[in-house]
Amino acid sequence: MVDIYPAGSRPTRRAPAESFTGTVWQDPIITPQAPARVASARVAFEPGARTAWHTHPLGQTLYVIQGVGRVQAKGEPVREIKAGDVVWIPPGQKHWHGAAPTTGMVHVAMHESLNGEHVTWMEHVTDEEYATPVG
């Protein structure tokens, strides 16, 4: 049977402080039921908000739908992302993403789980790492 989730039927939740810095709001899009393994959420970052460093076992795709943000893979420069951009993060790549310092950013995050795991959270991105100029 086809499931329809009417708008507003699944509440927005504040992202946990253990995995995010600043104010971040999450709205579920896809919560997979086995055997499906694709998960997706709309994630809204207030200015300066960001994820902690993390990896995904099968990679992650971000589709930016509003604002200006930043993304960085470990060992690479901080890069700016804007509405309409699509970002692919390869499997196992340590990275973070979030809003620009003075502008919010909203993206749709999509990833697959492997053996029931879809993300490994690590340490928070420091203010110094976040403040690195976009390169």
Side-chain angles (χ1 to χ4, degrees), residues 38-41 59-63 88 108-112:
V38 174
S40 181
Q60 182 179 45
T61 299
L62 307 175
Y63 175 59
W88 163 246
V108 174
M110 299 160 272
H111 50 263
E112 292 182 89

Side-chain angles (χ1 to χ4, degrees), residues 63-70 80-87 105:
Y63 175 59
V64 183
I65 57 175
Q66 182 180 336
V68 178
R70 292 179 169 190
E80 185 174 82
I81 53 177
K82 295 181 180 179
D85 289 349
V86 176
V87 180
M105 188 267 294

Side-chain angles (χ1 to χ4, degrees), residues 22-122:
T23 303
V24 180
W25 300 99
Q26 298 174 318
D27 290 292
I29 296 172
I30 301 169
T31 304
Q33 303 295 319
R37 59 186 192 180
V38 174
S40 181
R42 177 188 171 276
V43 187
F45 297 83
E46 291 189 2
R50 56 200 180 263
T51 68
W53 288 100
H54 62 287
T55 63
H56 299 276
L58 295 175
Q60 182 179 45
T61 299
L62 307 175
Y63 175 59
V64 183
I65 57 175
Q66 182 180 336
V68 178
R70 292 179 169 190
V71 62
Q72 182 182 26
K74 190 69 173 179
E76 296 182 10
V78 175
R79 297 175 65 188
E80 185 174 82
I81 53 177
K82 295 181 180 179
D85 289 349
V86 176
V87 180
W88 163 246
I89 298 111
Q93 175 68 63
K94 186 174 181 179
H95 70 286
W96 66 268
H97 39 95
T102 61
T103 307
M105 188 267 294
V106 180
H107 66 46
V108 174
M110 299 160 272
H111 50 263
E112 292 182 89
S113 62
L114 179 64
N115 301 319
E117 299 295 324
H118 63 89
V119 62
T120 299
W121 291 107
M122 299 168 186

